[in-house]
Amino acid sequence: MEQELQILWAAVTAYVLAGVVAVVGVVLGKRPERSVLALMLAGLALQTLSIGLRWDRLGHGPFITMFEILCSNVWSLMAAYSLAYWRIARIRATAAIVMPLMFVMLGWLMVAHPGEGHYPPTYNTPWLYIHIGLGKVFLGAVLVAVGLSCVILMRHAGIGRQRLAHLPASPQLDELAFRCMAIGLIFHTLMLIAGAIWAQDAWGRYWAWDPLETWAFIT
Amino acid sequence: MVRAVKEGKATEGSVDRAWAVLTIAPERRPASAGILRLLASLRLTLALIALLGCGVAFAYLREGARTWPLVVPLVLLALNLLAAVLTNGVFRRQTELLVFHLALIVLLLLVAAGRLTYLNGYVGVTEGVPFDGTLSDSDQGPLHAGDLARVHFVNKGFRIDYAPGLQRGATRNEVAWAGPDGRWHEELIGDQTPLVLSGYRFYTTFNKGFAPTFRWRNAHGADLRGSVQLPPYPLKEYSQAAEWTPPGSALSIWVMLDIDEILLDPAEHTTFRLPERYRLVVRIGRDRHEMRPGESLQTAEGTLEFEGLRSWMGYRVFYDWTLPWLLAACALAVVSLAAHFWRKFTAKPWDA
């Protein structure tokens, strides 16, 4: 377990460096985009290795404990944002906003107990992977939208207008954020449907208004 | 129709029909259109969603009120959405959006229908004893019309492995059930696989345990068999006792299973099994007896013979005929919404 955690620490360090470089770049009016992307990808590679080692050791994916769920969410959010960062060059400056948001989750991950949990027999179904996979896309799309929306809000509030000037105009960012949220809505709905199928098979009810389901519905 | 005339998109025939509607029933049309517009109000949608939220909270807090507090807002929401579809021209121009909203209406009505006809229940079935259609606990919608009495199956035993720390593994339960042709079929059910008979779905649960089985011969010579399902094991390992009244008798028999061995060792990989070393303590009034398999006990009302120990499995029973239709409506709604967004987003780039 120690090796997994050391590799995870290295991944977290790479993410933090990516965030710091992104923020410093915006503040100083520089565009260190290649460095940021390289650091994010290095972090992703290291975290993938850490998750893979843990998966191999425990015989199940990161689905059980809070540590595992946070770790898997950090991985998927970084994967989604890295993809957006790579493919949509015009919005790269949003890394200065998105990465500090990720720091919160990284901090939570670092204080979570990395011990293992019991893998319940009800998790032994392909619907688990479908449900979680769809949820990852939903969260990733929403993270990109959050970054874009924060830029619009900051401009409205008169914060960093000059430093964020090379980003597209707010109506364009709004349109892109709306599209990301639309993707999020579709995948969130699909995630709920897959979760309902899983719940029906595993617990004999597709919906029970438990706290997790209720919050997912409200979202 | 009138909107179409104004927009200059109507055909000659549709203009004639619109004119006819306006001239033949000049007073009725605005009134019905007004009601429809009122029904289609977005404010009403918000109010009904709030009502549904209240209904959910009410149903969550009060077990006896899980139908009407949900059905009424669901049906009203379906009507509200239907009125919106009928009055809003955008749905006639955008087919994907129309299909999405129609799928939503179907979803709302199906959920309401499901609440009216559902059944949720629980039953413990002793190994080798046929399920006779009687549930030990259940709640159902007022229009539930299923025929559980015709459902028969036999629990033929189960296997559950435990990892160290008593971590429960997969449940593999063998069952036999009678088909409509009267022939018996065997099936292996478990954590992800329910037994589905006549629309009723039987799910294994973590509740399982031991059931002493008795033969009861009353004073008239009638021979009856029965089993006493003791509390779940290992959940209630230290309270393996229950009271039982033989059929047609007023006798209260208290039964306790005293297991004299470690059945599920938390330190090792182990499997659920019947105990080999145990004592069955039977108390009738102030008299206390210890019984072994095959032993009999004479009481004032008849003879009690302890046949042996069996296992029992608890099943969650669920009935909702709307399930496949709900899935179909959900799939249609998501596909049509995705198609709507796809058409909208591909029409022009985001930074155009």
Side-chain angles (χ1 to χ4, degrees), chain A residues 88 90-91 117-125 168 171-173 175-176 178-180 182-183 185-186 189-190 193 197-206 208-211 217, chain B residues 52 56 60 70 111 115 120 163 167-171 190-194 201 203-204 316 318 320 322-323 326-327 330-331 334 337-338 341 344-352:
Chain A
I88 315 171
R90 293 186 64 194
I91 62 158
H118 169 51
Y119 187 76
T122 45
Y123 279 44
N124 199 14
T125 166
Q172 291 178 334
L173 292 181
E175 173 64 22
L176 188 58
F178 175 76
R179 291 181 181 203
C180 289
I183 293 169
L185 174 65
I186 296 289
T189 310
L190 288 170
I193 294 169
I197 295 170
W198 174 25
Q200 183 66 55
D201 282 345
W203 300 288
R205 84 291 184 287
Y206 63 87
W209 295 107
D210 67 28
F217 180 78
Chain B
L52 179 62
V56 168
Y60 199 73
L70 299 174
V111 174
R115 292 314 302 171
N120 271 324
Q167 293 183 348
R168 189 168 52 90
T171 301
D191 302 295
Q192 311 292 338
T193 320
R201 304 164 79 90
Y203 296 87
T204 56
R316 182 188 167 92
F318 180 87
D320 189 345
T322 65
L323 283 183
L326 276 175
L327 182 59
C330 281
V334 175
L337 187 63
F341 283 137
K344 195 172 170 177
F345 297 158
T346 50
K348 66 170 188 175
W350 65 273
D351 51 356

Side-chain angles (χ1 to χ4, degrees), chain B residues 261-282:
Chain B
E261 61 180 307
I262 297 172
L263 275 184
L264 300 172
D265 189 346
E268 290 182 14
H269 286 276
T270 181
T271 302
F272 189 94
R273 63 177 173 84
L274 293 176
E276 289 166 5
R277 294 201 304 274
Y278 66 89
R279 291 180 305 159
L280 188 75
V281 180
V282 176

